[in-house]
Amino acid sequence: MTPRDALIILLRSGAGRLGALFLATLVLASIFVLLRFPLDFGSSRWNNPLEWSDNPKAVPPAWTSIFQGDDAVPHTVFLASEPDSTTSAGATEVRTYTLNYDFNRLEPSSFISFTLSGVTFKERPPVLSVEVARPDGKVITLYQSVVRGPRAGEEPPYSRYHDTPFRVFLSGDQDTLISLSTFLRQQFSTSMSTQELQGRVEEVVFGTPDTDRPGAFDPLQGTYQITVRAIVGDPSDTIESVKLVLGGTVYGVMGTDSLGRDLAMGLLFGFPVALAIGLSTSLFATTIGTFMGILSGFLGGKTDIAIQRFTDVWSNIPLLPILIFLIFILGQQLWLVVLIMIVFGWPGLTIVVRSMVLQIRSGQLVEATQAMGASRMRIMFRHILFQIAPFVFAQMIFFTPAAILAEAGLSFLGLGDPSIPTWGQILENGFRTGAVYVGYWWWVLPPGLLIVFTAMTFVLLTLGLEPVVNPRLRTEQ
């Protein structure tokens, strides 16, 4: 039977067509990730806290705002690379970045952060300020600072924040709290200490004190104008970008975890990782098992006894203690998990293949090839192998989800590679941080469903390939 005939038979059944559709989805998603994501995504981005510092922590997907109504606060990012206006004042230059924000909800943003990137100056370091003009006409100075000046022996032009941006978490900045305390005292005759304002910066910025409830704030809806000013000492001084983030209570397609990591990116990166784990493990384990089974069944004698006894012993070695010991010695590496699954995954197939080869060996085809003087290697891997190839191929497909589930289970137990975001790793992080108990469903359900989806894909393919392995089913159809 040619591969084309096998594909036609596969696509005749509903299970085969559905499995092929699911497999195409997995492959396309994997190709997309390989083209758009860096290969070191795990170490350079996923496990880099600075990459996710401006994301809200442990919030549900943005589409859940349909059910939350006005209670959901969208995540808002203002990014500007060019100033909206520039004015000269003698030798200095004032660059103004203006950001308009419409606030029409009852709940303010969850946090406010300011980030400055790529500053280059010749003499005087730039002076920065962040101000908020409220709908009631009042202005709040949230932040004022001067870029770090030249170091001893440093030659101009001076570069700052090119490799690592300068980020200020305004919601917890002490100078911001002092500024807000002063604002409340001067504008509303309300006295609140910086300790009392801790964690309530957004309420003050987007609200007014409630006279009937001391310490409470009523939301002030309207258009807010946020202004970032940079006073530079030379017109040739440059600032690459200015970013202001107003944290939301929802984020992205799949939400975030407790570190603010975009779970959609982690889940996407898991597609090629899952396929690589499943296909590599099943391919090598099936190859070893088939090779050993053919040798054992065809050669017979002492070779058969030695292989079968070794297979019996090897299949009874407990896998989990060996894996824990090797991880303790060599560290948590994904390649180690895959290698262990390959080394311990072939004995079962060897036993089945041996029994099939014993029947084929006594057939007329093998006797005829022996009478014609064919060598043992040619008989085993030219005639016998091709007769059992459909079964071996079906077993390889069936082994693939087993390998993916095994890796997910090991990662869930904390034995996976923490530097690579796999679905099992995301699940383990969710359970370890208590996501199940506090109701963070978006952290637990999607990776679990993707694992089931991938496993079902190969199960459906296996069901669709049954007529290829069993000719009786083919005639019945």
Side-chain angles (χ1 to χ4, degrees):
M1 177 180 293
T2 65
R4 183 175 180 275
D5 296 333
L7 180 61
I8 293 174
I9 294 174
L10 171 67
L11 296 179
R12 282 178 184 171
S13 64
R17 289 193 294 269
L18 190 59
L21 177 62
F22 288 174
L23 181 61
T25 303
L26 292 174
V27 172
L28 290 176
S30 301
I31 293 174
F32 171 80
V33 171
L34 293 176
L35 293 177
R36 297 297 299 272
F37 284 55
L39 294 180
D40 61 344
F41 172 79
S43 57
S44 65
R45 298 188 62 184
W46 184 254
N47 292 318
N48 182 9
L50 294 177
E51 183 72 23
W52 319 103
S53 57
D54 285 330
N55 288 357
K57 317 302 184 211
V59 297
W63 51 266
T64 59
S65 59
I66 299 174
F67 310 102
Q68 298 183 38
D70 294 336
D71 294 336
V73 180
H75 186 71
T76 307
V77 178
F78 297 104
L79 181 64
S81 57
E82 296 292 336
D84 295 291
S85 64
T86 301
T87 57
S88 298
T92 63
E93 187 176 80
V94 180
R95 299 173 185 175
T96 304
Y97 304 83
T98 304
L99 316 168
N100 293 320
Y101 178 63
D102 293 325
F103 177 66
N104 52 12
R105 291 172 301 277
L106 298 178
E107 295 294 332
S109 57
S110 57
F111 68 88
I112 306 174
S113 70
F114 170 70
T115 304
L116 184 70
S117 302
V119 178
T120 302
F121 61 96
K122 289 185 175 180
E123 296 179 3
R124 297 171 53 186
V127 179
L128 305 171
S129 65
V130 180
E131 296 179 349
V132 178
R134 296 155 40 109
D136 57 4
K138 296 179 173 58
V139 178
I140 305 175
T141 302
L142 284 180
Y143 182 73
Q144 286 182 324
S145 178
V146 180
V147 175
R148 189 180 72 246
R151 295 183 291 268
E154 187 178 7
E155 296 293 332
Y158 310 105
S159 296
R160 300 289 184 269
Y161 319 132
H162 285 273
D163 297 329
T164 303
F166 174 71
R167 180 179 182 272
V168 182
F169 186 67
L170 297 178
S171 296
D173 183 68
Q174 189 64 26
D175 293 336
T176 302
L177 295 175
I178 295 173
S179 178
L180 290 178
S181 179
T182 304
F183 169 77
L184 290 175
R185 185 173 62 254
Q186 293 177 350
Q187 299 294 333
F188 298 100
S189 300
T190 300
S191 179
M192 293 186 70
S193 65
T194 56
Q195 292 182 348
E196 292 175 312
L197 292 175
Q198 190 74 39
R200 307 186 65 185
V201 169
E202 299 77 24
E203 294 182 46
V204 179
V205 174
F206 298 103
T208 57
D210 191 335
T211 55
D212 297 329
R213 297 178 298 162
F217 293 86
D218 294 325
L220 178 63
Q221 298 180 350
T223 301
Y224 288 74
Q225 189 177 76
I226 305 173
T227 303
V228 178
R229 287 190 178 88
I231 303 175
V232 298
D234 191 286
S236 62
D237 294 349
T238 60
I239 297 176
E240 286 186 3
S241 65
V242 170
K243 182 169 70 170
L244 191 80
V245 178
L246 302 175
T249 57
V250 293
Y251 183 86
V253 180
M254 300 307 299
T256 63
D257 61 10
S258 59
L259 299 178
R261 295 181 294 196
D262 188 354
L263 289 175
M265 299 184 70
L267 293 172
L268 273 175
F269 195 79
F271 277 95
V273 174
L275 283 182
I277 293 171
L279 294 178
S280 61
T281 302
S282 62
L283 177 62
F284 287 104
T286 303
T287 301
I288 296 173
T290 303
F291 179 77
M292 299 294 286
I294 293 176
L295 285 181
S296 177
F298 184 78
L299 297 180
K302 294 182 179 180
T303 302
D304 181 28
I305 295 174
I307 291 177
Q308 289 306 304
R309 298 295 76 77
F310 179 76
T311 300
D312 292 338
V313 173
W314 199 249
S315 61
N316 284 283
I317 295 177
L319 175 60
L320 190 59
I322 297 294
L323 187 59
I324 294 175
F325 173 76
L326 291 177
I327 287 177
F328 179 77
I329 299 297
L330 302 176
Q332 292 176 275
Q333 303 289 335
L334 184 61
W335 65 266
L336 180 61
V337 175
V338 173
L339 180 62
I340 293 299
M341 289 192 294
I342 293 173
V343 170
F344 287 89
W346 58 268
L349 182 60
T350 297
I351 297 173
V352 177
V353 169
R354 171 185 176 270
S355 63
M356 297 176 67
V357 173
L358 288 176
Q359 295 180 354
I360 297 173
R361 187 180 66 176
S362 58
Q364 295 180 356
L365 175 63
V366 174
E367 292 179 355
T369 53
Q370 285 177 333
M372 295 175 64
S375 64
R376 288 183 174 183
M377 295 295 293
R378 182 176 179 83
I379 294 173
M380 285 190 293
F381 299 105
R382 175 67 180 175
H383 299 284
I384 295 179
L385 176 60
F386 276 83
Q387 292 189 61
I388 64 173
F391 171 79
V392 171
F393 183 70
Q395 286 298 111
M396 183 180 69
I397 294 177
F398 194 73
F399 281 171
T400 302
I404 296 173
L405 291 172
E407 186 280 330
L410 293 172
S411 296
F412 184 77
L413 295 175
L415 301 176
D417 190 342
S419 65
I420 300 178
T422 64
W423 297 331
Q425 196 72 38
I426 295 174
L427 266 178
E428 190 271 335
N429 289 336
F431 275 84
R432 178 163 46 84
T433 55
V436 176
Y437 307 106
V438 295
Y440 296 160
W441 55 267
W442 61 90
W443 194 349
V444 178
L445 283 182
L449 292 176
L450 285 175
I451 293 172
V452 174
F453 172 80
T454 306
M456 285 299 301
T457 296
F458 291 97
V459 170
L460 290 172
L461 289 175
T462 304
L463 293 175
L465 285 173
E466 277 189 334
V468 178
V469 180
N470 190 348
R472 294 179 180 177
L473 296 177
R474 207 180 313 156
T475 55
E476 290 177 2
Q477 290 182 352

